[in-house]
Amino acid sequence: MSDTSIKLTVNGEVVSRAVEPRLLLSDFLRQDLGLTGTHVGCEHGVCGACTVLIDGRSARACLTFAAQIDGSSVETVEGLAKESGALTPLQEAFRDSHGLQCGFCTPGFLMVANEYLRAGGSADRQEIREAISGNICRCTGYETIVDAIAKVAGKAQDDRR
Ligand code: FES
Ligand code: FES
């Protein structure tokens, strides 16, 4: 099958490429763009390691064809930190709360947590658990991930008061 031309915004930069229609977004990001922060675990939509934001909503890069999202805006974990390399408050909270161990799941958790926080998500632990319920972590037992997200959500709540 012939290649198809796509134009996307990835972490704020416009990217144009000719891709095979069956090329997965996860492979496009990792292999074509070198954005290897998007991890690939199960490759069939179960683990959440490949989660990115497409037009602000979390999505499985391993279940999405690159050609399918022509014209969209994609955010990956590489786009979170500032240009200076400074970590975001959420990334700092993950580090400080020990919300990661091996780190394989972390990019996916950071993306869903960003979606949750941008939507004004609260520090309620049950709500956070529901928000991250599509992502699997084999190391932490989740408590410290919830701690990290709750810390940032709680601060945002205080700032809104
Ligand atoms: S690699 Fe995509 S959900 Fe597991
Ligand atoms: S930190 Fe290892 S899988 Fe989550």
Side-chain angles (χ1 to χ4, degrees):
M1 200 176 284
S2 58
D3 287 356
T4 182
S5 296
I6 60 170
K7 189 172 176 183
L8 308 171
T9 303
V10 180
N11 298 330
E13 289 192 15
V14 177
V15 174
S16 300
R17 290 284 195 288
V19 298
E20 283 188 30
R22 65 180 180 177
L23 180 69
L24 293 170
L25 178 59
S26 48
D27 291 333
F28 177 69
L29 292 170
R30 291 175 56 82
Q31 292 166 19
D32 290 39
L33 303 186
L35 297 173
T36 53
T38 297
H39 290 167
V40 175
C42 68
E43 296 184 77
H44 61 271
V46 175
C47 73
C50 67
T51 303
V52 296
L53 300 184
I54 301 175
D55 294 329
R57 301 199 60 186
S58 57
R60 306 290 210 226
C62 75
L63 295 184
T64 306
F65 292 117
Q68 199 180 340
I69 57 160
D70 182 29
S72 298
S73 174
V74 179
E75 291 170 76
T76 71
V77 71
E78 287 90 347
L80 295 182
K82 311 273 183 291
E83 270 180 31
S84 63
L87 299 179
T88 64
L90 180 64
Q91 288 171 312
E92 285 180 352
F94 265 69
R95 180 195 61 199
D96 296 345
S97 303
H98 304 288
L100 67 153
Q101 288 180 27
C102 79
F104 192 83
C105 68
T106 311
F109 274 99
L110 287 171
M111 300 320 286
V112 291
N114 263 284
E115 180 184 38
Y116 176 77
L117 293 167
R118 284 181 197 172
S122 79
D124 180 88
R125 297 183 74 83
Q126 188 53 37
E127 286 182 21
I128 293 171
R129 284 187 168 279
E130 284 169 21
I132 63 172
S133 61
N135 290 55
I136 293 173
C137 175
R138 294 294 189 204
C139 301
T140 63
Y142 302 97
E143 282 301 307
T144 55
I145 294 175
V146 175
D147 289 345
I149 300 170
K151 189 173 178 181
V152 178
K155 166 108 180 32
Q157 274 174 324
D158 290 345
D159 291 348
R160 284 196 292 269
R161 284 192 187 120

